[in-house]
Amino acid sequence: MVEAVLITDADFDIASEYETLKQAGVGAVVIFSGVVRDNADNPRLVAMTLEHYPGMTEMEISAIIEEAKRRWPVSGVRVIHRVGRLLPEENIVFVGSASAHRQAAFESAAFIMDYLKTKAPFWKKEETEEGANWVDARETDEDALKRWE
Amino acid sequence: MRILYFAWMREHTGCSSEEIQLPEEVETIAELAEYLRGRSAGHEAALRNMKTVRVAVNRRYAQLDSTVSAGDEIAFFPPVTGG
């Protein structure tokens, strides 16, 4: 079982993450990466700063991975989440899931991402030219969990 | 007892963590929040509306009626916005 949870201020390399997941020795690898929305989407966004609760964050993500392993036959999961100040178009989050079956890889990656968004203790602060604001939690993220009940 | 604050709650209280002596009459998270509100105007602002606040006891999610004890690490934070 290839498994890792990494909270870091450094960028990650998607190609090498993919190679690591392939070493789980299976037929399917699904990768999700989240990116800071670029200027076309939010023209006033200068940067995004991410804060987290060290210790609890890793515990929550590990618990989500454990639940995913109970539900799907996954043989590899890697989750990376960046913290600190990020600029538009920088990588924020990586979730990779490997399995012998594509459906298990697709579904487990989506499950982990949905739960990460609503349970893992991270907070985003947006910097715009007018000032900085903490991002509000979205009900649509909470609603996304219903499909896994 | 160690109390942690994150995101805008940290900005209101002016500290990311503080050590307090747990008063004997404080048994639950709700009572602890009430007690902490008395520490400063910033604490009052941060902990005024507990419906918008999430709580963890020893790094696990807890509820307003969860009990607290002297050696606990208690964290108050807004709903999470990672990913």
Side-chain angles (χ1 to χ4, degrees), chain A residues 51 125 132-134, chain B residues 5-16 42 46:
Chain A
E51 172 175 332
K125 192 175 197 178
N133 290 297
W134 290 99
Chain B
Y5 306 98
F6 292 94
W8 57 260
M9 298 191 68
R10 171 175 49 75
E11 292 178 346
H12 280 312
T13 61
C15 63
S16 56

Side-chain angles (χ1 to χ4, degrees), chain A residues 51 53 119 122-125, chain B residues 7 10-11 61 73 81 83:
Chain A
E51 172 175 332
Y53 181 176
K119 303 289 183 203
F122 292 99
W123 302 274
K124 286 193 188 104
K125 192 175 197 178
Chain B
R10 171 175 49 75
E11 292 178 346
Y61 281 104
E73 176 177 294
T81 56

Side-chain angles (χ1 to χ4, degrees), chain B residues 3-75:
Chain B
I3 314 286
L4 306 178
Y5 306 98
F6 292 94
W8 57 260
M9 298 191 68
R10 171 175 49 75
E11 292 178 346
H12 280 312
T13 61
C15 63
S16 56
S17 78
E18 57 189 347
E19 294 287 336
I20 65 154
Q21 284 286 348
L22 183 65
E24 258 178 47
E25 66 277 14
V26 171
E27 289 176 359
T28 66
I29 292 289
E31 289 164 3
L32 176 64
E34 175 89 47
Y35 167 74
L36 292 170
R37 277 201 289 272
R39 287 176 77 84
S40 75
H43 285 74
E44 163 63 26
L47 297 160
R48 185 184 298 140
N49 183 0
M50 289 301 289
K51 280 185 190 144
T52 64
V53 171
R54 300 290 178 267
V55 190
V57 175
N58 299 324
R59 303 178 178 185
R60 291 182 190 282
Y61 281 104
Q63 306 299 320
L64 291 179
D65 60 0
S66 300
T67 55
V68 295
S69 37
D72 286 343
E73 176 177 294
I74 312 288

Side-chain angles (χ1 to χ4, degrees), chain A residues 22 55 78-79 86 93 95-96 98 111 113 115 117 121 126 141:
Chain A
K22 263 167 70 177
R78 289 178 71 80
V79 176
L86 303 176
V93 59
V95 172
F111 173 89
M113 198 55 219
Y115 272 84
K117 280 194 86 80
E126 282 183 350
D141 290 335

